[in-house]
Amino acid sequence: MTELSLLIRPELPSDSDAIERLHERTFGPGRFARTAFRLREGAPHDASLSFTALVGTLLVGSVRLTPVLAGSQAALMLGPLTVEPAFENRGIGGALMRRSLDAARQEGHALVLLVGDEPYYSRFGFKRIPYRQLELPGPVNVERFLALELAEGSLAPARGMVAVRPVQAA
Ligand SMILES: CC(C)(COP(=O)(O)OP(=O)(O)OC[C@H]1O[C@@H](n2cnc3c(N)ncnc32)[C@H](O)[C@@H]1OP(=O)(O)O)[C@@H](O)C(=O)NCCC(=O)NCCS
């Protein structure tokens, strides 16, 4: 069998349909009711910080970052992170995470939030947000509401409601 190598590159507009189908397969129709999905629906993700994984011409994974305000503090909301089920456990999720977090750091972003499994995301440095420090516009399990400080001390001043914010023009 031919070994096809993994390519991680910035998301292109033409990836949208395949990513939507991947989200449908991974999260099902219930995804639209999830608080993080509903929050992100309010504004486009930042294409320069969102990455697609390809094996050959097959789209096998995606990660997106969306600009938000955490109280009055600028932050990014990470997600969805999705890997095609047949391609799980090959390091694709990790490669997408590292690429998007490196890009966010290089662009000077200070804080990344997400809703997800702490046992997975802790390997990238994500930690639980103290209870009620930040709130999402919908129910969220406090054990799954996580933050990564790209700049030390960036979480402490972030207090209140998380809301989407428009992407700044370059
Ligand atoms: C979670 C997900 C993105 C991981 O992608 P992946 O490419 O399989 O991950 P990697 O290959 O980089 O890492 C695999 C490791 O993560 C672990 N892992 C995967 N999902 C995990 C979870 N939910 N909790 C804890 N560990 C997890 C695996 O056991 C494996 O551990 P090991 O390194 O000790 O062997 C992928 O499984 C997925 O798309 N799941 C469904 C969608 C989802 O839950 N997305 C996250 C919420 S937005």
Side-chain angles (χ1 to χ4, degrees):
M1 194 179 90
T2 316
E3 275 289 319
L4 292 170
S5 58
L6 177 70
L7 172 71
I8 308 265
R9 58 139 172 81
E11 184 182 323
L12 300 175
S14 54
D15 294 337
S16 302
D17 288 352
I19 292 173
E20 189 52 37
R21 288 196 296 274
L22 181 56
H23 290 168
E24 168 66 37
R25 282 197 297 283
T26 325
F27 299 105
R31 67 192 184 283
F32 297 114
R34 291 185 183 205
T35 297
F37 267 83
R38 282 184 19 224
L39 172 71
R40 290 187 302 252
E41 263 173 5
H45 54 281
D46 184 336
S48 69
L49 301 174
S50 300
F51 290 87
T52 296
L54 298 155
V55 171
T57 56
L58 190 63
L59 190 151
V60 295
S62 161
V63 66
R64 286 174 163 172
L65 285 170
T66 301
V68 294
L69 276 175
S72 56
Q73 173 99 343
L76 295 165
M77 188 83 185
L78 187 145
L81 168 69
T82 337
V83 173
E84 182 67 46
F87 286 84
E88 281 178 7
N89 291 317
R90 299 175 189 211
I92 297 173
L96 283 166
M97 285 297 292
R98 284 187 291 278
R99 187 73 184 269
S100 61
L101 294 174
D102 283 351
R105 203 176 278 112
Q106 274 170 24
E107 287 196 18
H109 293 279
L111 183 63
V112 184
L113 311 176
L114 64 78
V115 178
D117 291 343
E118 188 183 15
Y120 182 69
Y121 290 105
S122 59
R123 70 193 66 194
F124 309 107
F126 282 85
K127 296 191 173 126
R128 250 181 243 184
I129 297 169
Y131 182 56
R132 302 206 70 170
Q133 179 177 334
L134 283 171
E135 299 199 41
L136 289 170
V140 65
N141 179 341
V142 64
E143 293 176 8
R144 294 172 51 79
F145 190 19
L146 312 177
L148 171 68
E149 292 184 336
L150 297 178
E152 205 179 321
S154 58
L155 178 61
R159 292 180 177 273
M161 187 60 81
V162 179
V164 289
R165 66 183 157 99
V167 180
Q168 309 268 314

